[in-house]
Amino acid sequence: LRLTMTSANGKNVWAYLYDNDGTTQLAASYTSGSAVVVNKDGLAAGTYYVKVTIGDKKYIAQMVYQK
């Protein structure tokens, strides 16, 4: 799995990938204004969560990964 996000406003971006329980962190990455990439190999098909923090704002999205 490869997630790529770019900050459109130049703010710092942190991205975290969580398992289907929503609490077990599987991967994380950080950028200071360019593209942030989160990579995780070997995932089974299923539901995962992504938390993205931009500045002081936090967003959480549910994602279904299909192989």
Side-chain angles (χ1 to χ4, degrees), residues 25-56:
Q25 184 177 307
L26 301 174
S29 190
Y30 162 84
T31 185
S32 58
S34 58
V36 61
V37 178
V38 177
N39 287 310
K40 183 63 180 169
D41 293 329
L43 291 178
T47 301
Y48 296 89
Y49 294 89
V50 178
K51 179 173 82 172
V52 178
T53 302
I54 303 169
D56 62 348

Side-chain angles (χ1 to χ4, degrees), residues 4-47:
T4 304
M5 293 164 268
T6 303
S7 174
N9 60 10
K11 290 193 175 186
N12 296 338
V13 177
W14 292 264
Y16 309 88
L17 176 65
Y18 290 91
D19 204 353
N20 62 1
D21 62 10
T23 59
T24 302
Q25 184 177 307
L26 301 174
S29 190
Y30 162 84
T31 185
S32 58
S34 58
V36 61
V37 178
V38 177
N39 287 310
K40 183 63 180 169
D41 293 329
L43 291 178
T47 301

